[in-house]
Amino acid sequence: MNLSEKFQQALDQPDALIALRELVIMLRSEGMDKPTIAAELQQLRSQVDQFQGDIILEVLDFLNGWCSPHMKID
């Protein structure tokens, strides 16, 4: 399963925001850099509906630190 498929699978979960955030946290812990994750999320965002696009934007905010400290993804 490629990265885009993993992201889409997370977006298809009942609590997509949490599922996608946890996937991004896992990818960061495995050593994937933030710019790569952000680029993949931006690419996927152009392929999904408004609702899923908003979820992706929220996770990008977590990744970039534009959120409450407890939600930030390092």
Side-chain angles (χ1 to χ4, degrees), residues 16-31:
L17 180 64
I18 298 302
L20 187 57
R21 183 176 182 274
E22 288 176 357
L23 174 58
V24 171
I25 290 169
M26 183 191 73
L27 293 170
R28 290 290 295 137
S29 72
E30 292 174 352

